[in-house]
Amino acid sequence: MSEATLADCLRERGRRAVLESVRVELELARSAFQQGQSQALDPPSIAVRARARLEAARPSLRPVINATGVLLHTGLGRSPLAAEAVARAAEIARGYSSLEYNLDENTRGKRTQGVARLIRLLTGAEAATAVNNNAAATVLALRALAAGREVVVSRGQLVEIGGGFRLPEIFEVAGVTLREVGTTNKTRIADYQRALNPATAAILRVHRANFAMVGFTEDVALADLVQLAHDHGLWAIDDIGSGVLGPGRPPWQGDEPTARQAILDQADLVLFSGDKLLGGPQCGVLAGTSRAIQLVESDPMMRAMRLDKMTLAALEATLELALDAELAARRIPLWAMLSTPVEELERRAQALAGKLNALPGLAARVVVEQSQIGGGSAPGRSIETRAVALGPLFPPAYPAPAAFSGALRRAEPPLVARVHQDQVLLDLRTVSPELDERILDVIQGVCHHQSSEGRAVDRDGGPNSGRPDREPSPVSSS
Ligand SMILES: *Cc1c(COP(=O)(O)O)cnc(C)c1O
């Protein structure tokens, strides 16, 4: 029993860690005994406590398998990085680097120089820089170009994105007065015109990143906003959100606004996230005129929001890949997942379902489903996919879909699936192909566990644990 209790730990954590944990528990038990306290001293109890000790020492930030089909899943870290980006970040992290050192001239260098060059190439902008995320980019843009003044925004674009990016609050933080114009569904150029006054500094357009408006709607084209702004000596800022660089790039980008188009439309600043459709590390990119970027970079807040060397390295490597759309579609995981043909997903799903069906107490079949872009990008847009549907038959220890998916979530590696009605769905679009085998292992492990005396059931919150399993509402994907 005690061996069985520690078998998984031995496999996952290695002999030395298990021995150390058992040794600590033995010492504690011995000293408790000497002090006359009663503590269970039998090997199984020691083993259970040693396992708990090891489990408590597990890192909380761990890799998971995302089988939810939400490509930019905020709860699961948004965009996975290309191997090239990971390697570059690791290489730079490992040693010293030319982060702020101009090697040719033996002078102080600028940390964003490399990424700025690539962003200029990719967007056609005169100048560029990058900070911690798009929220930071927005605060900086507002502060640098409009502190103490007013910026005009359409009421239909006052968005809240993800946890806590609410435009009115961002304005407050930046010390800029928000001047709302138009109505929720319709804003016309005359609405903007009427709002302009001597305190106005800029017009801001914000992409409705995580919701779509249908029905009677009206918006002003960016080019017209820019024209109006420039006619009045104001700045024009475009927050496109998702980080699509230019047209003719990924085929799935649909009608997402692109940075290149915003620059062609003469916007002074265009802002986007690095870890949305670009598929890079978390960051916020600002591209635009030299004058605007210079003001942003000389804002004291820039120092508080600057990127660290690992992110810069990963961003630079990602942008290098993005220079070649075909290469990027193979090498940037997000682009690859978005462009995986349905036939390939079908083939993988059939293979996996076949193997899962062979497990006792499990029914698996392939179903046609829709993957979501998520991450506050491409509102309402989905892509056809194939998923392996488990159920309605489940192993007796986890008879309900929520209990079964809970057990998968608590497995190692955690497998995060989607529960739909009486089924657990594994969407393969967000699973990289080499993880198909791991999925099989995880599910096998869970099905096997439940047959071993119900101890796993207690631990995994199964029906006998007296702790009802809660399926979290689909973790924020916006
Ligand atoms: C996602 C998004 C943001 C916030 O970007 P982060 O990089 O998550 O800070 C801001 N504006 C728009 C339009 C977005 O889509």
Side-chain angles (χ1 to χ4, degrees), residues 176-304:
V176 171
T177 304
L178 169 64
R179 169 69 61 150
E180 301 172 34
V181 297
T183 60
T184 303
N185 61 333
K186 290 193 184 188
T187 305
R188 303 187 178 87
I189 192 86
D191 296 321
Y192 285 95
Q193 221 147 10
R194 265 198 306 278
L196 303 185
N197 68 73
T200 313
I203 297 177
L204 168 67
R205 183 181 80 154
V206 183
H207 178 47
R208 274 183 212 105
N210 54 359
F211 71 104
M213 285 206 314
V214 292
F216 296 98
T217 66
E218 201 169 320
D219 266 320
V220 183
L222 178 66
D224 296 332
L225 285 185
V226 173
Q227 177 82 54
L228 179 67
H230 290 177
D231 283 351
H232 292 79
L234 308 172
W235 299 102
I237 309 169
D238 191 21
D239 174 7
I240 64 168
S242 62
V244 174
L245 293 161
R249 287 192 181 274
W252 32 261
Q253 73 183 32
D255 49 9
E256 282 287 295
T258 69
R260 176 137 358 133
Q261 190 56 50
I263 297 297
L264 284 174
D265 287 342
Q266 309 283 320
D268 297 287
L269 269 187
V270 51
L271 322 173
F272 59 89
S273 300
D275 56 346
K276 288 188 183 171
L277 290 175
L278 176 60
Q282 178 197 305
C283 63
V285 172
L286 302 103
T289 62
S290 302
R291 178 86 193 107
I293 293 296
Q294 196 191 340
L295 285 170
V296 166
E297 290 198 314
S298 51
D299 190 295
M301 196 68 106
M302 177 79 188
R303 177 65 173 72

Side-chain angles (χ1 to χ4, degrees), residues 78-114:
R78 272 201 198 158
S79 131
L81 291 181
E84 285 83 349
V86 174
R88 190 79 60 84
E91 188 185 13
I92 293 303
R94 204 173 287 129
Y96 297 105
S97 62
S98 58
L99 181 64
E100 289 192 3
Y101 187 44
N102 185 329
L103 294 166
D104 287 332
E105 293 163 23
N106 189 27
T107 52
R108 176 115 193 191
K110 199 165 135 188
R111 66 169 58 207
T112 53
Q113 195 174 346

Side-chain angles (χ1 to χ4, degrees), residues 361-373:
L362 210 58
R365 68 201 169 88
V366 178
V367 293
V368 176
E369 271 290 323
Q370 298 290 319
S371 304
Q372 305 297 323
I373 307 261

Side-chain angles (χ1 to χ4, degrees), residues 107-125:
T107 52
R108 176 115 193 191
K110 199 165 135 188
R111 66 169 58 207
T112 53
Q113 195 174 346
V115 297
R117 184 179 53 86
L118 289 162
I119 298 163
R120 288 202 311 268
L121 262 172
L122 286 158
T123 63

